[in-house]
Amino acid sequence: QVQLVESGGGLVQPGGSLRLSCAASGSIFSINAMGWYRQDPGKERELVAAVTSGGSTNYADSVKGRFTISRDNAKVYLQMNSLKPEDTAVYYCNVEVRRWSWSAPTDYWGQGTQVTVSS
């Protein structure tokens, strides 16, 4: 089993900052890509940012220059600055894990954490 535990969501005023954290644990041989997605009610889940095992990053156009993704071993972080009301959503951590040396990579998801940007 692989568990993902997220933390760091909450209520913040426009222009404020939040930092999301996600820790992976369990039966893990290696971790490939790690990322953050978000979803509004009635909308599809969208990629916010991702980072590969080599450190390459990818961001949604809407968050470039404001959000920064980073990873440290089995943890991934999302630093969110200059937050806007349209950033309000449930944020999900996603990790691509190989549980054994011979196994194919499998996606795992966190439970989600609410981020609300409002005055």
Side-chain angles (χ1 to χ4, degrees):
Q1 282 287 61
V2 174
Q3 296 82 37
L4 300 182
V5 178
E6 301 177 17
S7 61
L11 172 65
V12 65
Q13 292 186 343
S17 298
L18 283 174
R19 187 180 191 231
L20 306 183
S21 300
C22 174
S25 62
S27 178
I28 297 173
F29 173 77
S30 66
I31 297 176
N32 296 344
M34 307 179 84
W36 290 93
Y37 288 71
R38 66 187 181 188
Q39 187 170 22
D40 258 345
K43 295 184 180 179
E44 290 189 0
R45 192 170 296 187
E46 64 174 359
L47 173 69
V48 176
V51 56
T52 68
S53 57
S56 297
T57 57
N58 181 39
Y59 294 93
D61 287 343
S62 60
V63 307
K64 284 180 180 177
R66 300 188 297 121
F67 291 10
T68 303
I69 190 169
S70 61
R71 60 186 287 172
D72 178 16
N73 292 326
K75 295 182 179 180
V76 62
Y77 306 95
L78 186 68
Q79 178 66 43
M80 304 184 294
N81 299 329
S82 302
L83 282 160
K84 303 175 181 180
E86 51 263 44
D87 295 318
T88 296
V90 177
Y91 284 69
Y92 296 91
C93 170
N94 173 263
V95 176
E96 189 179 63
V97 170
R98 293 177 66 195
R99 295 188 63 191
W100 299 280
S101 60
W102 63 87
S103 62
T106 302
D107 276 338
Y108 291 88
W109 293 89
Q111 78 279 9
T113 185
Q114 177 70 45
V115 171
T116 303
V117 185
S118 175
S119 54

